[in-house]
Amino acid sequence: MIRIVALTEAGEKLAKQIQQLLPEQSDIWFKPKPFTAQVQQAFQAGERLILICATGIAVRTLAPVLRHKNTDPAVLVLDEAGQFVIPLLSGHEGGANDWADNIASLIEAQLVMTTANPYLAPVYSVGMGCERHCPVDKLHELLMTCLAQANLTLAQISHLNSIDIKADELGLIALAKQIDKPFVTWDKYQLREMEDLLSTKSDYVYSVVGVYGVAESAALFDVQQITQQQGELILTKQKSAVATCAIARAYPSKNSAVTKVMK
Protein backbone atom coordinates (compact mmCIF):
# COMPACT_ATOMS: atom_id res chain seq x y z
CA MET A 1 0.00 0.00 0.00
CA ILE A 2 1.12 3.52 -0.82
CA ARG A 3 -0.07 6.42 1.35
CA ILE A 4 -0.12 9.83 -0.27
CA VAL A 5 -0.34 12.49 2.42
CA ALA A 6 -1.24 16.11 1.66
CA LEU A 7 -1.61 19.08 3.99
CA THR A 8 -2.91 21.78 1.62
CA GLU A 9 -5.57 21.99 -1.08
CA ALA A 10 -2.88 22.31 -3.74
CA GLY A 11 -1.17 19.28 -2.28
CA GLU A 12 -4.41 17.30 -2.36
CA LYS A 13 -4.84 18.15 -6.04
CA LEU A 14 -1.33 16.86 -6.75
CA ALA A 15 -2.04 13.74 -4.69
CA LYS A 16 -5.07 12.92 -6.84
CA GLN A 17 -3.00 13.43 -9.98
CA ILE A 18 -0.33 11.04 -8.72
CA GLN A 19 -2.89 8.47 -7.61
CA GLN A 20 -4.36 8.32 -11.11
CA LEU A 21 -0.92 7.64 -12.57
CA LEU A 22 0.15 4.92 -10.13
CA PRO A 23 -0.30 1.27 -11.17
CA GLU A 24 -0.23 0.18 -7.51
CA GLN A 25 -3.00 0.53 -4.95
CA SER A 26 -2.79 3.84 -3.13
CA ASP A 27 -4.76 5.90 -0.64
CA ILE A 28 -4.87 9.66 -0.13
CA TRP A 29 -4.84 11.16 3.34
CA PHE A 30 -5.75 14.85 3.36
CA LYS A 31 -4.86 16.56 6.65
CA PRO A 32 -5.02 13.30 8.65
CA LYS A 33 -5.64 13.73 12.37
CA PRO A 34 -3.72 13.18 14.51
CA PHE A 35 -1.15 13.76 11.78
CA THR A 36 1.98 12.49 13.53
CA ALA A 37 0.36 9.33 14.91
CA GLN A 38 -1.29 8.42 11.60
CA VAL A 39 1.84 8.86 9.51
CA GLN A 40 4.04 7.07 12.02
CA GLN A 41 1.61 4.16 12.18
CA ALA A 42 1.59 3.79 8.39
CA PHE A 43 5.39 3.93 8.30
CA GLN A 44 5.74 1.31 11.04
CA ALA A 45 3.33 -0.93 9.13
CA GLY A 46 5.78 -0.87 6.22
CA GLU A 47 3.68 1.30 3.91
CA ARG A 48 5.51 3.44 1.37
CA LEU A 49 4.80 7.13 1.82
CA ILE A 50 4.53 10.10 -0.51
CA LEU A 51 4.47 13.16 1.72
CA ILE A 52 3.42 16.38 0.02
CA CYS A 53 4.70 18.79 2.62
CA ALA A 54 7.81 20.55 3.88
CA THR A 55 10.85 18.32 4.30
CA GLY A 56 11.20 19.52 7.89
CA ILE A 57 7.72 18.28 8.75
CA ALA A 58 8.50 14.89 7.25
CA VAL A 59 11.79 14.58 9.14
CA ARG A 60 10.37 15.59 12.50
CA THR A 61 7.40 13.26 12.08
CA LEU A 62 9.34 10.15 11.11
CA ALA A 63 12.54 10.56 13.14
CA PRO A 64 11.17 8.85 16.29
CA VAL A 65 10.15 5.69 14.39
CA LEU A 66 13.18 5.15 12.15
CA ARG A 67 14.64 1.67 12.56
CA HIS A 68 17.17 0.61 9.92
CA LYS A 69 17.78 1.39 6.26
CA ASN A 70 17.34 -2.30 5.40
CA THR A 71 13.83 -2.44 6.87
CA ASP A 72 12.33 1.07 6.76
CA PRO A 73 9.90 1.65 3.87
CA ALA A 74 10.65 4.16 1.14
CA VAL A 75 9.54 7.75 1.75
CA LEU A 76 9.30 10.53 -0.84
CA VAL A 77 8.75 14.23 -0.19
CA LEU A 78 7.16 16.50 -2.81
CA ASP A 79 6.40 20.20 -2.83
CA GLU A 80 2.73 21.08 -3.32
CA ALA A 81 3.41 22.48 -6.78
CA GLY A 82 4.82 19.15 -7.91
CA GLN A 83 8.09 20.67 -9.09
CA PHE A 84 10.48 18.51 -7.06
CA VAL A 85 10.59 14.89 -5.89
CA ILE A 86 12.97 14.00 -3.04
CA PRO A 87 13.72 10.41 -1.96
CA LEU A 88 13.94 11.09 1.77
CA LEU A 89 14.37 7.64 3.32
CA SER A 90 15.57 4.20 2.19
CA GLY A 91 16.92 5.57 -1.06
CA HIS A 92 19.07 2.57 -1.88
CA GLU A 93 17.83 -0.30 0.27
CA GLY A 94 14.13 0.54 0.11
CA GLY A 95 14.11 1.59 -3.53
CA ALA A 96 13.15 5.21 -2.88
CA ASN A 97 15.68 6.53 -5.40
CA ASP A 98 14.26 4.53 -8.29
CA TRP A 99 10.70 5.14 -7.12
CA ALA A 100 11.32 8.88 -6.96
CA ASP A 101 12.76 8.79 -10.46
CA ASN A 102 9.61 7.08 -11.67
CA ILE A 103 7.27 9.52 -9.92
CA ALA A 104 9.27 12.48 -11.23
CA SER A 105 8.87 11.16 -14.77
CA LEU A 106 5.14 10.61 -14.32
CA ILE A 107 4.43 14.18 -13.17
CA GLU A 108 7.28 15.82 -15.14
CA ALA A 109 9.06 17.01 -12.00
CA GLN A 110 12.71 17.47 -11.11
CA LEU A 111 14.30 14.56 -9.26
CA VAL A 112 16.39 15.76 -6.31
CA MET A 113 18.72 12.99 -5.12
CA THR A 114 21.48 13.42 -2.57
CA THR A 115 22.80 9.85 -2.19
CA ALA A 116 26.05 8.62 -3.71
CA ASN A 117 26.33 8.30 -7.50
CA PRO A 118 22.78 9.64 -8.05
CA TYR A 119 22.82 10.02 -11.83
CA LEU A 120 24.68 6.91 -12.80
CA ALA A 121 22.51 4.03 -13.99
CA PRO A 122 22.54 1.25 -11.38
CA VAL A 123 23.05 -2.42 -12.18
CA TYR A 124 20.76 -4.90 -10.42
CA SER A 125 21.26 -8.62 -10.07
CA VAL A 126 19.36 -11.50 -8.49
CA GLY A 127 20.86 -14.32 -6.46
CA MET A 128 18.92 -17.50 -5.71
CA GLY A 129 19.44 -20.73 -3.86
CA CYS A 130 17.05 -23.66 -3.67
CA GLU A 131 16.46 -27.25 -2.69
CA ARG A 132 17.45 -29.86 -5.24
CA HIS A 133 14.75 -30.39 -7.88
CA CYS A 134 12.87 -27.26 -6.81
CA PRO A 135 9.91 -26.63 -9.18
CA VAL A 136 10.32 -23.68 -11.51
CA ASP A 137 6.93 -22.26 -10.56
CA LYS A 138 8.02 -21.98 -6.91
CA LEU A 139 11.19 -20.18 -7.96
CA HIS A 140 9.26 -17.83 -10.26
CA GLU A 141 6.77 -17.00 -7.52
CA LEU A 142 9.52 -16.11 -5.06
CA LEU A 143 11.42 -14.05 -7.63
CA MET A 144 8.38 -11.97 -8.60
CA THR A 145 7.52 -11.39 -4.95
CA CYS A 146 11.05 -10.15 -4.30
CA LEU A 147 11.04 -7.85 -7.33
CA ALA A 148 7.78 -6.31 -6.14
CA GLN A 149 9.26 -5.76 -2.67
CA ALA A 150 12.26 -4.02 -4.21
CA ASN A 151 10.05 -1.99 -6.58
CA LEU A 152 11.88 -3.42 -9.60
CA THR A 153 10.89 -5.03 -12.88
CA LEU A 154 12.44 -7.96 -14.70
CA ALA A 155 13.73 -5.55 -17.33
CA GLN A 156 16.02 -3.97 -14.73
CA ILE A 157 17.69 -7.24 -13.76
CA SER A 158 21.00 -8.21 -15.37
CA HIS A 159 21.49 -11.85 -14.40
CA LEU A 160 20.10 -14.72 -12.37
CA ASN A 161 22.94 -16.06 -10.18
CA SER A 162 23.70 -18.98 -7.92
CA ILE A 163 26.59 -21.14 -6.70
CA ASP A 164 28.32 -23.47 -9.17
CA ILE A 165 26.93 -26.64 -7.61
CA LYS A 166 23.54 -25.39 -8.86
CA ALA A 167 24.74 -25.04 -12.45
CA ASP A 168 22.70 -28.11 -13.40
CA GLU A 169 19.62 -27.20 -11.33
CA LEU A 170 16.79 -27.63 -13.84
CA GLY A 171 14.42 -25.27 -12.02
CA LEU A 172 16.91 -22.39 -12.07
CA ILE A 173 17.83 -23.09 -15.68
CA ALA A 174 14.16 -23.08 -16.65
CA LEU A 175 13.52 -19.89 -14.67
CA ALA A 176 16.35 -18.07 -16.44
CA LYS A 177 14.87 -19.14 -19.76
CA GLN A 178 11.39 -18.00 -18.72
CA ILE A 179 12.58 -14.52 -17.76
CA ASP A 180 15.10 -14.33 -20.62
CA LYS A 181 18.11 -13.65 -18.38
CA PRO A 182 21.55 -15.30 -18.33
CA PHE A 183 21.99 -17.89 -15.59
CA VAL A 184 25.41 -17.31 -14.03
CA THR A 185 27.08 -19.44 -11.35
CA TRP A 186 30.10 -18.72 -9.17
CA ASP A 187 32.31 -20.98 -7.11
CA LYS A 188 32.50 -20.88 -3.33
CA TYR A 189 35.86 -19.11 -3.30
CA GLN A 190 34.47 -16.23 -5.34
CA LEU A 191 31.35 -15.99 -3.20
CA ARG A 192 33.36 -15.96 0.02
CA GLU A 193 34.74 -12.59 -1.05
CA MET A 194 31.30 -11.15 -0.28
CA GLU A 195 31.20 -12.49 3.27
CA ASP A 196 31.50 -9.08 4.99
CA LEU A 197 28.54 -7.69 3.02
CA LEU A 198 26.01 -10.37 3.99
CA SER A 199 23.03 -9.44 6.15
CA THR A 200 23.10 -12.82 7.93
CA LYS A 201 25.46 -15.79 8.01
CA SER A 202 24.29 -19.37 8.18
CA ASP A 203 26.71 -21.88 9.65
CA TYR A 204 24.50 -24.65 8.31
CA VAL A 205 24.69 -23.37 4.74
CA TYR A 206 28.45 -23.00 5.12
CA SER A 207 28.77 -26.61 6.25
CA VAL A 208 26.85 -27.78 3.18
CA VAL A 209 28.13 -25.60 0.34
CA GLY A 210 31.11 -23.70 1.72
CA VAL A 211 29.64 -20.19 1.89
CA TYR A 212 27.52 -18.46 4.53
CA GLY A 213 24.75 -17.52 2.12
CA VAL A 214 24.19 -18.37 -1.54
CA ALA A 215 21.56 -15.87 -2.67
CA GLU A 216 23.11 -12.72 -1.20
CA SER A 217 26.69 -13.69 -2.08
CA ALA A 218 25.82 -14.54 -5.69
CA ALA A 219 23.91 -11.31 -6.29
CA LEU A 220 26.63 -9.19 -4.70
CA PHE A 221 29.47 -10.87 -6.56
CA ASP A 222 27.71 -10.51 -9.90
CA VAL A 223 27.10 -6.76 -9.66
CA GLN A 224 30.69 -6.29 -8.54
CA GLN A 225 31.94 -8.15 -11.60
CA ILE A 226 29.72 -6.11 -13.91
CA THR A 227 30.52 -2.68 -12.50
CA GLN A 228 33.91 -3.23 -10.89
CA GLN A 229 32.44 -1.51 -7.82
CA GLN A 230 31.35 -2.92 -4.47
CA GLY A 231 27.68 -3.78 -4.45
CA GLU A 232 25.01 -3.46 -1.79
CA LEU A 233 21.94 -5.47 -0.95
CA ILE A 234 18.70 -3.68 -1.74
CA LEU A 235 16.71 -6.76 -0.74
CA THR A 236 18.21 -9.08 1.83
CA LYS A 237 17.66 -12.82 1.67
CA GLN A 238 13.99 -13.73 1.39
CA LYS A 239 12.98 -17.33 2.08
CA SER A 240 10.18 -19.55 0.89
CA ALA A 241 9.71 -23.17 1.90
CA VAL A 242 12.03 -24.33 -0.89
CA ALA A 243 14.20 -21.40 -2.03
CA THR A 244 15.98 -18.15 -1.17
CA CYS A 245 16.32 -14.94 -3.15
CA ALA A 246 18.23 -11.67 -2.74
CA ILE A 247 18.79 -8.61 -4.92
CA ALA A 248 21.97 -6.54 -5.09
CA ARG A 249 22.88 -3.30 -6.80
CA ALA A 250 26.06 -1.47 -7.74
CA TYR A 251 26.80 1.76 -9.54
CA PRO A 252 29.48 1.76 -12.24
CA SER A 253 32.40 4.11 -11.83
CA LYS A 254 31.75 7.44 -13.49
CA ASN A 255 34.97 7.08 -15.45
CA SER A 256 34.67 3.46 -16.52
CA ALA A 257 32.38 1.55 -18.82
CA VAL A 258 30.23 -1.27 -17.48
CA THR A 259 31.63 -4.68 -18.30
CA LYS A 260 28.98 -7.31 -18.96
CA VAL A 261 29.85 -10.67 -17.45
CA MET A 262 28.40 -13.65 -19.29
CA LYS A 263 29.16 -17.18 -18.19
Side-chain angles (χ1 to χ4, degrees):
M1 171 64 76
I2 296 173
R3 299 287 180 184
I4 310 175
V5 183
L7 297 180
T8 66
E9 285 74 14
E12 183 186 25
K13 181 178 179 181
L14 176 61
K16 291 178 179 178
Q17 177 190 351
I18 294 172
Q19 185 180 46
Q20 291 177 348
L21 296 171
L22 290 176
E24 306 100 323
Q25 182 181 359
S26 60
D27 189 25
I28 295 175
W29 284 354
F30 178 52
K31 296 182 179 179
K33 295 181 180 180
F35 175 80
T36 298
Q38 289 278 74
V39 174
Q40 288 182 351
Q41 183 178 5
F43 181 83
Q44 290 177 304
E47 297 176 359
R48 289 185 290 163
L49 302 176
I50 298 177
L51 304 180
I52 306 175
C53 64
T55 305
I57 293 175
V59 170
R60 286 192 297 272
T61 299
L62 294 175
V65 292
L66 298 182
R67 292 166 294 182
H68 192 278
K69 63 181 182 180
N70 286 334
T71 57
D72 289 339
V75 177
L76 309 185
V77 173
L78 283 68
D79 64 299
E80 65 176 16
Q83 293 182 308
F84 303 102
V85 180
I86 305 170
L88 184 69
L89 292 173
S90 298
H92 286 167
E93 290 73 13
N97 288 348
D98 296 325
W99 188 31
D101 188 26
N102 182 52
I103 295 295
S105 297
L106 289 176
I107 64 173
E108 298 182 351
Q110 174 67 51
L111 175 64
V112 181
M113 229 189 296
T114 58
T115 50
N117 297 319
Y119 301 114
L120 296 175
V123 173
Y124 299 96
S125 201
V126 169
M128 296 194 78
C130 67
E131 294 181 358
R132 182 60 72 179
H133 308 303
C134 182
V136 65
D137 61 317
K138 297 296 184 182
L139 293 167
H140 188 270
E141 180 181 3
L142 177 60
L143 172 60
M144 298 311 293
T145 297
C146 289
L147 288 174
Q149 286 182 252
N151 197 35
L152 295 174
T153 66
L154 278 173
Q156 294 172 276
I157 300 302
S158 59
H159 300 151
L160 176 66
N161 301 270
S162 195
I163 194 168
D164 59 357
I165 61 173
K166 289 295 182 180
D168 63 346
E169 187 67 53
L170 296 181
L172 289 171
I173 294 170
L175 176 63
K177 185 176 181 180
Q178 276 187 9
I179 64 176
D180 193 27
K181 301 293 178 182
F183 178 42
V184 185
T185 61
W186 310 97
D187 65 46
K188 62 183 179 182
Y189 302 106
Q190 294 170 309
L191 298 187
R192 283 177 184 172
E193 296 177 25
M194 304 295 104
E195 189 173 302
D196 291 341
L197 301 178
L198 303 183
S199 67
T200 59
K201 297 179 182 179
S202 170
D203 292 328
Y204 172 75
V205 174
Y206 191 92
S207 70
V208 175
V209 299
V211 297
Y212 285 109
V214 171
E216 292 186 351
S217 297
L220 286 164
F221 191 81
D222 187 56
V223 292
Q224 177 172 291
Q225 295 308 298
I226 294 173
T227 66
Q228 300 302 303
Q229 300 293 314
Q230 181 174 292
E232 60 183 346
L233 292 168
I234 64 164
L235 186 71
T236 57
K237 179 178 67 177
Q238 305 296 301
K239 301 170 65 174
S240 70
V242 290
T244 59
C245 181
I247 303 176
R249 171 181 57 197
Y251 288 87
S253 171
K254 185 179 295 186
N255 299 318
S256 64
V258 171
T259 301
K260 292 290 182 182
V261 177
M262 304 298 242
K263 188 176 181 181

